[in-house]
Amino acid sequence: EALMQGICLDPSSASYTCSLTLHRDSGDEYPVDIRAYSCGNTVPADSVTLQGVRAVFREGAGNYGGEAVCTVEMQDGVISAALLSGVYTVQLSAEGYLDSYTEIEVLEHAAAGDAYLMPALGEGQTGILLTWEGGETDLDLTLFTPYRAESGDMAHIGGAVAGDAHGNMLVADNSSGYEMMLLETGTQGIYKVYVNDYTDSLAGKYDSDALRRLNVHIYIYDSDGLAAAYTPPVGQNGVVWEVAEISGRNVTPSQRLYTNIS
């Protein structure tokens, strides 16, 4: 018996695909260690971990407000727990940061992971956090803004364009498993969020399955906290993931994968 959290159904569509992972119910608990970092750092995740972080573990993916399995206070820079095999949503709290989230899968052995906390945001600000597992693949956040580009249509942030004159910026750009953008979405206009599989795009492997294989997540925050969270579409390949559109506080999912990067 399984409860699936946060499912939004489009009534214009008649078919849906979801993925389920079954875990052995042996009754045994396994050690779990999580290190927490600020995703506002401009350096990779090997920087100093945050201190004073409190973690709430909830059973299941996308479970942001259900009953807690356990609550853990960080000790010596590490959040440590003992959990049954399964998938857990972890809520992390620290002074000066929004309540932030990550997911961890516990198999029948010890588990470890990294978590990234979103710094507190001001009114009209939006933070976008991209996380993935697998250092051999470099993923990139790309944002199209409401503003006019010098050539073409919409201006963009990402890659070689780290920011613009309107306060939109790529804060953390690396291949260490996370990237972060900070947007000024208080002004009128639509922002379009994309993720690019840079490694496979460069290699010409446009039908790569990396985006759905690397445990990829997008978390979108505003000044009140978590506004939306997405994973790539199930059962599709591609190197460009069109995630969502942001207009003020409204976030509308797109959820398309492309093999044609042009």
Side-chain angles (χ1 to χ4, degrees):
E1 187 174 323
L3 173 66
M4 301 194 72
Q5 305 280 349
I7 303 298
C8 299
L9 302 182
D10 178 359
S12 65
S13 179
S15 63
Y16 302 92
T17 303
C18 298
S19 61
L20 291 174
T21 301
L22 302 183
H23 292 265
R24 186 183 302 277
D25 186 10
S26 63
D28 295 325
E29 293 184 335
Y30 304 92
V32 177
D33 289 334
I34 298 177
R35 296 185 181 274
Y37 303 88
S38 171
C39 64
N41 289 341
T42 56
V43 296
D46 58 0
S47 59
V48 177
T49 57
L50 290 175
Q51 300 297 316
V53 179
R54 179 174 181 265
V56 177
F57 291 80
R58 296 185 174 94
E59 190 175 12
N63 188 359
Y64 303 110
E67 181 179 354
V69 173
C70 64
T71 300
V72 178
E73 301 286 344
M74 173 180 280
Q75 301 291 332
D76 299 324
V78 180
I79 299 163
S80 297
L83 299 171
L84 299 171
S85 179
V87 177
Y88 296 86
T89 301
V90 189
Q91 177 181 347
L92 302 116
S93 305
E95 185 176 355
Y97 292 83
L98 296 172
D99 281 3
S100 303
Y101 298 86
T102 190
E103 291 180 8
I104 189 165
E105 183 173 14
V106 182
L107 302 174
E108 293 179 78
H109 51 71
D114 294 330
Y116 304 93
L117 276 72
M118 179 66 63
L121 301 173
E123 186 67 30
Q125 286 188 315
T126 298
I128 303 174
L129 172 63
L130 162 69
T131 66
W132 73 96
E133 296 175 358
E136 74 282 357
T137 301
D138 184 13
L139 303 185
D140 288 329
L141 270 176
T142 299
L143 177 83
F144 287 91
T145 74
Y147 304 102
R148 188 80 180 181
E150 292 184 5
S151 61
D153 191 1
M154 301 174 74
H156 79 280
I157 303 298
V161 185
D164 62 16
H166 306 284
N168 304 302
M169 66 185 73
L170 178 63
V171 177
D173 177 18
N174 57 72
S175 58
S176 298
Y178 88 102
E179 292 198 357
M180 181 258 197
M181 281 184 172
L182 187 61
L183 319 180
E184 293 289 342
T185 52
T187 55
Q188 188 173 4
I190 294 176
Y191 293 79
K192 296 185 177 183
V193 183
Y194 290 80
V195 174
N196 176 41
D197 175 357
Y198 176 77
T199 300
D200 289 315
S201 293
L202 202 64
K205 300 177 181 178
Y206 304 135
D207 62 347
S208 169
D209 66 349
L211 280 171
R212 62 185 177 89
R213 178 172 45 83
L214 294 174
N215 195 23
V216 183
H217 288 79
I218 285 278
Y219 299 96
I220 299 176
Y221 297 87
D222 60 26
S223 58
D224 291 335
L226 183 68
Y230 302 108
T231 56
V234 173
Q236 298 182 37
N237 292 356
V239 289
V240 177
W241 173 25
E242 182 182 353
V243 183
E245 294 185 355
I246 302 173
S247 178
R249 286 182 174 270
N250 297 318
V251 182
T252 304
S254 303
Q255 288 296 69
R256 300 182 183 95
L257 273 176
Y258 298 97
T259 58
N260 183 347
I261 65 173
S262 61

